Amino acid sequence: METLTIGEMAARSGVAPSALRYYEREGLLHAARTGGNQRRYERADLRRIAFIKIAQQVGVSLDEIREALAELPENRTPTKADWSRLSSRWRHRLDERIAMMERLRDQLTGCIGCGCLSLQRCHLINPRDRLAARGTGPQMILNPPSDKP
Amino acid sequence: METLTIGEMAARSGVAPSALRYYEREGLLHAARTGGNQRRYERADLRRIAFIKIAQQVGVSLDEIREALAELPENRTPTKADWSRLSSRWRHRLDERIAMMERLRDQLTGCIGCGCLSLQRCHLINPRDRLAARGTGPQMILNPPSDKP
DNA sequence: CTGCAACTTGAAGTGCACTTCAACTCAAGC
DNA sequence: GCTTGAGTTGAAGTGCACTTCAAGTTGCAG
């Protein structure tokens, strides 16, 4: 009797019912059905939804999120350990993304300091266009030199 | 004679010609025209494009970016000071967003530590659901308590 | 002067993440 | 048992940020 209707889930998670149905179609979520074919969610599904929202905040597509969630056990309610394993990977994603944004910020500040704002071929930071061979755009930020010497 | 064609701009900025035309339609970019109606960009426009890319990385819509760029002078090439003014605002956006992602990361780690992963009503961090009145979803992350006591 | 790659336009198409709609069914309170 | 708010479906629509296409034009190299 610990089940929730789609409306209750929507209220508690902040995600519209239509979105929850969409997630189900996309395989991110699964709900049991009543005799009358209505969805009944378990409380644990709120965790899944929270996870989805967080991952989206980080800029991850539903496709990738689905893949990640696929690692959770299907037959039993995920345990703390299940979530821990999954989440430590996402901590890395978050760390990476945070690092990228910090580079972004520092470049923005730095290059504005020198007045160039080029961010891809700043002569102060990148004297000889050595990044030109590594693709177009703001390479230093999206793909910092330390990654590939 | 310091002008660049759309193809050259695309190559140097990593943004497709079609996207550059799109940006122009959307009012983010403006190019002079030759007698034969072809676009000719100035080198300074690379900065605009770099700025657009950066802002997008931060998750800002083209609409907002257009508004920000509208603050730059139209009749003259933006100076270092113009860019500085504009960019300091964006540094703030970046800082905010970085802070949000750090909260996100810490919550993820913390709530996984306690096994709840609820991120909106974790009993360790938020003993009495005091956030419930402030909207749905992961309030602590998107809108931390320190913002509004 | 010719040829060809690079440019031009408007219109239509794409992918993602949903939302809206119409028509219908379910479940719970009176 | 009836009403009513909440749920169901598939199909179509939305908004953003582009991309693709067709049909035509431009500009530079030879």
Side-chain angles (χ1 to χ4, degrees):
Chain A
M1 315 300 91
E2 286 294 341
T3 64
L4 301 169
T5 67
I6 196 170
E8 288 163 344
M9 289 300 271
R12 291 196 190 287
S13 68
V15 172
S18 59
L20 294 176
R21 293 192 196 100
Y22 175 71
Y23 291 163
E24 187 165 336
R25 275 204 304 285
E26 294 295 305
L28 279 86
L29 224 49
H30 178 70
R33 299 301 181 110
T34 64
N37 198 36
Q38 295 196 356
R39 286 172 184 82
R40 284 304 121 93
Y41 295 89
E42 296 188 30
R43 203 166 284 262
D45 290 326
L46 283 168
R47 284 181 203 181
R48 274 181 99 91
I49 297 169
F51 190 83
I52 293 168
K53 287 192 83 170
I54 287 172
Q56 282 193 296
Q57 271 293 327
V58 185
V60 179
S61 69
L62 291 188
D63 241 57
E64 286 183 277
I65 298 170
R66 182 171 16 69
E67 271 180 62
L69 287 174
E71 289 180 25
L72 289 174
E74 275 204 36
N75 30 0
R76 60 181 166 79
T77 301
T79 64
K80 171 176 162 178
D82 292 324
W83 278 112
S84 270
R85 197 165 19 78
L86 191 58
S87 296
S88 71
R89 243 200 285 292
W90 287 79
R91 230 203 87 119
H92 277 99
R93 265 180 197 264
L94 263 169
D95 283 340
E96 268 172 36
R97 205 161 159 89
I98 287 169
M100 187 189 78
M101 295 187 52
E102 279 168 351
R103 284 196 299 277
L104 204 66
R105 179 190 57 192
D106 297 344
Q107 293 300 306
L108 195 61
T109 315
C111 274
I112 273 136
C114 86
C116 75
L117 196 76
S118 114
L119 293 155
Q120 57 186 331
R121 43 177 64 220
C122 172
H123 292 293
L124 280 179
I125 286 165
N126 185 37
R128 277 169 161 286
D129 276 358
R130 285 195 298 133
L131 294 171
R134 295 209 284 128
T136 54
Q139 287 301 323
M140 285 187 306
I141 287 153
L142 304 174
N143 184 17
S146 50
D147 282 352
K148 204 185 174 189
Chain B
M1 314 294 88
E2 285 296 337
T3 65
L4 300 169
T5 67
I6 196 169
E8 287 164 343
M9 289 299 272
R12 290 195 189 288
S13 68
V15 172
S18 60
L20 294 177
R21 292 191 197 102
Y22 176 72
Y23 291 161
E24 188 165 336
R25 275 204 304 285
E26 295 295 305
L28 280 85
L29 223 50
H30 178 70
R33 299 302 180 110
T34 64
N37 199 34
Q38 296 196 357
R39 287 171 183 82
R40 285 303 121 94
Y41 294 89
E42 296 187 32
R43 201 167 286 262
D45 291 324
L46 283 169
R47 285 181 200 182
R48 273 181 102 91
I49 298 170
F51 190 82
I52 293 168
K53 289 192 83 170
I54 286 172
Q56 282 193 298
Q57 271 293 326
V58 185
V60 179
S61 69
L62 290 187
D63 242 57
E64 286 183 276
I65 298 170
R66 182 170 17 67
E67 270 180 62
L69 287 174
E71 290 180 23
L72 290 174
E74 274 203 36
N75 30 1
R76 61 181 166 78
T77 300
T79 64
K80 171 176 163 177
D82 292 323
W83 280 112
S84 271
R85 199 165 17 79
L86 191 58
S87 297
S88 71
R89 245 201 284 291
W90 288 79
R91 229 204 88 120
H92 277 98
R93 265 181 197 263
L94 263 169
D95 282 340
E96 270 172 37
R97 207 165 157 84
I98 287 168
M100 187 190 77
M101 295 188 52
E102 279 168 352
R103 284 196 299 277
L104 204 65
R105 180 190 57 191
D106 297 344
Q107 294 300 305
L108 195 63
T109 316
C111 275
I112 272 134
C114 85
C116 75
L117 196 76
S118 113
L119 293 155
Q120 57 187 330
R121 42 177 65 219
C122 172
H123 292 292
L124 280 180
I125 286 164
N126 185 38
R128 277 169 160 286
D129 275 357
R130 286 195 297 134
L131 294 171
R134 295 211 283 128
T136 55
Q139 287 301 324
M140 284 186 308
I141 287 153
L142 304 175
N143 184 18
S146 50
D147 284 351
K148 203 184 174 190

